[in-house]
Amino acid sequence: MLVLNEILKNKDAVVKALAKKHFKADDIVEKIIELDKDRRETKSRLDEVLAESNKIAKEIGALYKAGKKDEADAMKVKTAQLKETGKELNDKFDLLQEQITKCIVELPNTPCELVPEGKNAEDNLIVHREGDFPQLPANALPHWELAKKYNLIDFELGNKVTGAGFPFYRGYGARLQRALITYFLNSAINRGFIEYQPPLVVNEASGFGTGQLPDKEGQMYHCTVDNFYLIPTAEVPITNIYRDVILKQEDLPIKNVAYSSCFRREAGSYGKDVRGLNRLHEFDKVEIVEISTQEDSYKILDEMVEHVASLVRGLGLPFRIVRLCGGDISFTSALTYDFEVYSAAQEKWLEVSSVSNFESFQANRLKLRYKNSEGKTVLAHTLNGSALALPRIVAAILENYQTEDGIRIPEVLQHFMGCDFISESNKI
RNA sequence: GGAGAAAUGGCAGAGUGGUCGAUUGCGGCAGUCUUGAAAACUGUUGUACCGUCAGGUACCGGGGGUUCGAAUCCCUCUUUCUCCGCCA
């Protein structure tokens, strides 16, 4: 959520910035200003009443000590009215506070200047493109056919045991997953990230902390008996480590990496986009999360983008980096780069990573702060990115690396796979 | 799952109804001393909100209550520890 004082101070700038996200903010901002004025007045009056009550209480105490019981009892009468007005003002203050928060929570994060104008994905800015499209054999197949042919992934079995969108990986398919996870984690560790293995289930407070709740409640699997949620990304537990935490400036930047399964209900998405591995309810992902000072966050965003690029490059997949436009960028993000790999048999660009700087938007909600060099406690900046999401990478590898009689394995994975080629003759 | 104990400032740890925002120690910061450092000594040291200032208000795990007045009493929730049971 945005910071109240910033909204009050720079209301025109906030309204203008949010217009880029096609969000009409002026009504809400006006309402916030009005509510806040009322809140300040109420607070002043409440404080006066409390001060008066405290004063009387002290006098009564003094009288009791002096043994003047009658005078003390007489004074008690005075407090009844004060107590009542105090309670009224207090209730009013709480209500106003609540209403203000409710308004602020409706406001998306302000996009940074680099975010291009635009309505939808077509207006995103391609900032980088790398790698050549592969020459596929004449009998090239989409990955779901290849997965079946070489016994790598069993979608039907997933349907039987759980439901659509929960595939089984087996044999070399399972090994490929494990190889990718290891490759991604090792690469991050080599860049100084600390590896975490988080819980896959979080409580309600954590869901609020990273903003999944209350808006995206329907997108998460909910264990109602214990009021737990299955995580849609490791971002949720990893970022919530720092909920209500005050860090030291010398702790920053914090660089965490976590592999986790991710669970998404994906309510409402059907059709050809969900074919095969393109969209699943449960999938694996390695996520990087960084916490930085306010000054360094954009430098760190660039570093994260470079790290993700090195992963895709290492796998030899053609990819492009797009800077999301105002209409396509998420509610919480100030600047986002998406990575798309080209999946040659489907002839489609598949989104495999999304790297974002949230500036202080998440930190404000999390109450994640640090003491800066002047000793002042200020909000930290948070960033995260997929590095990387597995299923679409697997899809692209299967499709792009297929030959007439098998699937080659990218060199960086061969050691973890224990083979360099999957074929009819060696399939498991 | 059952029984009991506890939760206080950066940390340790007092405080069981009124000058307690909280004794004290450690740590931190500033100073004295010293060529420098250490030690010793002296002072200082939480956060948020309201107010132009003076100042005021709130905060002793969270929430509610009793009282003129709550860190202190009551209820409730959470967490931690000890014991018992169960178990990978």
Side-chain angles (χ1 to χ4, degrees), chain A residues 192 194 242 245-256 289-293 296 300 368-372 380:
Chain A
I194 306 293
Y242 306 97
V245 166
I246 299 175
L247 298 160
K248 298 192 206 84
Q249 176 150 4
E250 54 265 36
D251 296 336
L252 302 174
I254 284 174
K255 296 156 73 92
N256 290 338
V289 173
E290 296 208 37
I291 295 165
S292 97
T293 61
D296 291 343
I300 283 174
L368 161 53
R369 292 160 293 175
Y370 66 98
K371 258 195 169 54
N372 67 15

Side-chain angles (χ1 to χ4, degrees), chain A residues 168-216:
Chain A
F168 277 80
Y169 303 85
R170 68 179 299 285
Y172 279 125
R175 264 202 236 179
L176 178 58
Q177 292 268 115
R178 190 156 49 82
L180 283 165
I181 293 162
T182 308
Y183 165 60
F184 294 152
L185 283 173
N186 286 356
S187 305
I189 290 164
N190 286 340
R191 282 202 179 225
F193 285 85
I194 306 293
E195 182 180 352
Y196 274 81
Q197 220 178 90
L200 305 181
V201 165
V202 295
N203 60 27
E204 202 175 352
S206 295
F208 276 102
T210 29
Q212 277 74 24
L213 293 173
D215 299 347
K216 297 180 198 150

